[in-house]
Amino acid sequence: MSAGTDQCNDIPINVIGLSGSLRLGSYNTALLRATGELATDGLHIETYDISDIPLYNDDVRLAGFPEPVARMRDALRAADAVLIASPEYNRSVPGVLKNAIDWASRGPDQPFAGKPIAFMGVSRGALGTALANHHLRQIFVYLDAVMVNGPEVMIGGGPQKFDATGRLVDEPTRRFVAAHLEKLAALVKDIRILRQQRQCLP
Ligand code: FNR
């Protein structure tokens, strides 16, 4: 292993977590909490609350980003990676999450370009969040993010996977989520190495 890769492995990876549910007892927010127990490889995951993001209005944007939006965009830009945990609403992405993504996406300095990003989701249904996850992929192709492909975390039967305190207790699900986080950490490290090497090119 080169000195460059050793240095990359020592640097913490700061991840901003977005939940697609504002509900206090949200399984998706609980899933983000669980990543605090499951994350290794230098990952530090902090959930960012999007409940104060106003409804998107292009007239408002043209007059200047509202303060909660500007704060969220700064936090996204500063993070090494983004981790989204979202339910599926009517076979798609919940409006509150799409609204936050839409706000973040405007302007020349859109924070998702080139940013490593991973998706997870919990729903009550048997199909998990398969369709919402795929809609998120469509959105982030357009926004030029760099996505973790798999293992895809699309958890069905949400209430059976958590205990009464909201702790993720289902062992196979915990292993699966941990594997997904390892892939996210590896992606961030690979990108760091590529960027370092690019700087060395004549
Ligand atoms: C749902 N739910 C749901 N579940 C699913 O598997 N597929 C779906 O398309 C939908 N659609 C849907 C629409 C709306 C408006 C709501 C409120 C709910 C159920 C959903 O999986 C369940 O409420 C989860 O518990 C929501 O996630 P949180 O809030 O626990 O994170």
Side-chain angles (χ1 to χ4, degrees):
M1 201 180 274
S2 74
T5 54
D6 283 337
Q7 281 164 16
C8 285
N9 282 330
D10 287 343
I11 304 170
I13 300 171
N14 295 312
V15 182
I16 183 167
L18 301 178
S19 174
S21 173
L22 306 185
R23 202 168 70 81
L24 216 55
S26 160
Y27 294 114
N28 286 278
T29 308
L31 183 60
L32 278 179
R33 274 201 306 276
T35 63
E37 293 173 25
L38 300 172
T40 53
D41 298 319
L43 287 175
H44 296 278
I45 301 165
E46 211 156 295
T47 302
Y48 191 92
D49 182 6
I50 59 168
S51 59
D52 60 354
I53 302 294
L55 284 179
Y56 188 83
N57 181 330
D58 209 45
D59 296 336
V60 174
R61 179 190 65 92
L62 289 171
F65 286 118
E67 195 275 329
V69 174
R71 196 159 18 93
M72 174 184 70
R73 294 178 93 254
D74 288 345
L76 287 166
R77 207 173 297 105
D80 296 310
V82 179
L83 176 62
I84 292 181
S86 180
E88 179 171 289
Y89 277 5
N90 301 313
R91 298 285 188 249
S92 190
V93 181
V96 289
L97 177 61
K98 182 63 163 54
N99 182 62
I101 295 168
D102 290 342
W103 269 116
S105 73
R106 303 314 289 170
D109 57 348
Q110 75 95 346
F112 296 116
K115 184 79 72 183
I117 189 163
F119 310 114
M120 312 186 294
V122 195
S123 76
R124 288 173 181 269
L127 297 179
T129 52
L131 293 161
N133 273 23
H134 280 271
H135 283 181
L136 283 168
R137 286 183 188 281
Q138 287 177 13
I139 293 165
F140 284 100
V141 165
Y142 184 70
L143 295 178
D144 199 23
V146 187
M147 290 173 257
V148 171
N149 287 327
E152 291 185 282
V153 181
M154 309 179 295
I155 305 164
Q160 286 81 54
K161 309 285 164 52
F162 294 82
D163 71 11
T165 69
R167 183 169 184 270
L168 179 66
V169 288
D170 185 69
E171 273 307 322
T173 306
R174 288 175 69 86
R175 284 197 293 274
F176 209 63
V177 171
H180 194 74
L181 297 175
E182 277 175 31
K183 288 287 290 282
L184 178 61
L187 178 65
V188 172
K189 288 175 185 175
D190 286 349
I191 288 175
R192 280 179 178 166
I193 290 165
L194 286 174
R195 287 185 181 148
Q196 274 184 351
Q197 287 176 346
R198 196 187 294 157
Q199 281 172 7
C200 295
L201 290 176

